[in-house]
Amino acid sequence: MNSKVTVNSYAKINLMLDINYKRTDNYHDLFMIMQSVGVYDTVSVEKIKGRNIEITCNIDDIPLDEKNIAHKAATAFFKANRIRSRGIHIDIIKRIPHAAGLAGGSADGAAVLVALNKLYETGLTDDELCGIGVKIGADVPFCIKGGTLLAQGIGEVLSKVKPLRKCFIVLAKPDVSVNTGKAYSQFDEFGKTHTPNQLEMLKAIQSRDLNEICSRLENVFEQFIEVESRVQIKEIMRANGTLGACMSGSGPTVYGIFLDEASAENAAEELKAITNEVFVCKPINKGCKITHIIE
């Protein structure tokens, strides 16, 4: 029986994010093309005596109680599998900026589910883990599977599409936070002025035409979410040769896609004058990766 499992859980960006409509259950029907990227949190889950779920984290402003999505994930896992010996310690090393539109919290929840499945040898498939994960967050199923996927429904209906070609991705998070709930409320109030061309983006993805994909990057939240310095960030990215730049999720992080590493690094260096949360990474073909098991 395993006693400790460590998982790297990857951030995501939205190559396209469209909101189709508000559903009768108050969720929103979405069309998203999501991409895992090489910025990750490291989550370790260890069995301990007792029945408590304990959480530690390397940064201060993360809740360490049942408000943390990692705690919710563990609780949901134990309930789904009728496990009573629930004493675990979850340690989170955060590198993904939080409240950033990069699914940092969802990535941690996904990592906990993947780790517990290994720790308790429950043998659940990714789809079964996704079934538990969607109850705690709409991005959790994507963060379990990862890669390049079309996400529909509230984000839980995942379909494989062709992987993104090799490229370099610069992430720049302005020093502000966006509340996702409030962002959706603004959509409910104002609607959208333009609908992204979903079909043409899917065609570009399936043909793996990076230039065409980057010409179609679009996020409807940019139509009604004001993020200070977003325009400036995009200008710096364009000046350094980005193929396309867009906001991820409900923001505020803006990403740019580059063909070569030197251009990406140059853009990142310039962006550090605006924000200290800048990353250069690559597309990743998975959502979670088990890196260490102690039996």
Side-chain angles (χ1 to χ4, degrees):
M1 189 69 93
N2 302 319
S3 64
K4 183 177 179 180
V5 176
T6 301
V7 177
N8 286 345
S9 53
Y10 294 94
K12 64 84 187 166
I13 58 171
N14 298 88
L15 301 175
M16 179 168 277
L17 193 163
D18 192 12
I19 306 170
N20 293 322
Y21 54 86
K22 186 175 182 180
R23 301 169 12 153
T24 53
D25 59 7
N26 282 331
Y27 285 100
H28 293 79
D29 190 80
L30 305 171
F31 177 99
M32 301 184 291
I33 296 181
M34 319 252 278
Q35 175 65 53
S36 301
V37 296
V39 180
Y40 60 90
D41 289 351
T42 299
V43 180
S44 297
V45 184
E46 185 173 13
K47 288 180 183 173
I48 57 172
K49 288 180 180 175
R51 291 172 55 82
N52 292 335
I53 298 168
E54 298 175 0
I55 301 176
T56 52
C57 185
N58 64 321
I59 60 173
D60 294 335
D61 51 349
I62 295 288
L64 302 177
D65 56 11
E66 59 276 358
K67 293 189 188 116
N68 192 306
I69 195 168
H71 193 292
K72 292 176 185 174
T75 302
F77 179 87
F78 289 138
K79 186 178 178 184
N81 291 283
R82 299 177 179 172
I83 292 170
R84 296 184 175 219
S85 54
R86 316 181 152 198
I88 57 166
H89 176 248
I90 301 168
D91 180 64
I92 303 170
I93 299 173
K94 280 210 78 64
R95 300 179 191 88
I96 305 170
H98 61 288
L102 299 172
S106 296
D108 297 342
V112 168
L113 293 176
V114 169
L116 287 172
N117 191 37
K118 196 74 177 172
L119 202 58
Y120 285 87
E121 296 176 344
T122 38
L124 300 182
T125 64
D126 280 353
D127 284 339
E128 288 169 323
L129 289 176
C130 288
I132 300 170
V134 72
K135 294 169 186 169
I136 56 171
D139 281 342
V140 175
F142 173 80
C143 290
I144 290 168
K145 291 192 170 184
T148 316
L149 295 174
L150 166 63
Q152 294 171 284
I154 64 169
E156 86 287 14
V157 182
L158 299 172
S159 309
K160 274 200 164 183
V161 291
K162 295 281 179 68
L164 204 59
R165 286 194 184 279
K166 182 184 173 185
C167 59
F168 297 88
I169 299 167
V170 177
L171 309 177
K173 180 194 177 280
D175 192 21
V176 292
S177 293
V178 175
N179 180 291
T180 302
K182 285 183 183 171
Y184 278 104
S185 297
Q186 286 188 260
F187 170 80
D188 297 339
E189 187 176 348
F190 302 113
K192 56 185 177 180
T193 53
H194 176 259
T195 295
N197 193 324
Q198 300 175 4
L199 182 59
E200 289 303 317
M201 177 55 116
L202 273 178
K203 283 183 187 172
I205 290 277
Q206 292 304 85
S207 67
R208 302 188 74 205
D209 184 333
L210 196 57
N211 282 299
E212 185 67 14
I213 290 166
C214 289
S215 75
R216 296 195 172 278
L217 301 175
E218 192 165 353
N219 181 344
V220 292
F221 279 122
E222 291 199 54
Q223 296 175 24
F224 44 84
I225 299 289
E226 283 305 318
V227 173
E228 194 180 341
S229 74
R230 181 171 64 206
V231 171
Q232 192 182 358
I233 288 170
K234 287 187 176 185
E235 282 173 354
I236 290 171
M237 288 178 171
R238 288 190 189 109
N240 283 281
T242 186
L243 298 180
C246 190
M247 190 171 79
S248 184
S250 56
T253 301
V254 175
Y255 67 87
I257 297 177
F258 295 79
L259 267 181
D260 67 283
E261 191 171 11
S263 300
E265 292 288 356
N266 289 340
E269 205 52 48
E270 272 192 61
L271 287 164
K272 285 172 188 171
I274 301 174
T275 172
N276 56 10
E277 293 199 271
V278 182
F279 306 84
V280 178
C281 52
K282 297 177 186 176
I284 296 287
N285 64 1
K286 58 177 72 70
C288 287
K289 180 184 179 184
I290 295 173
T291 60
H292 203 57
I293 299 170
I294 298 175
E295 294 181 353

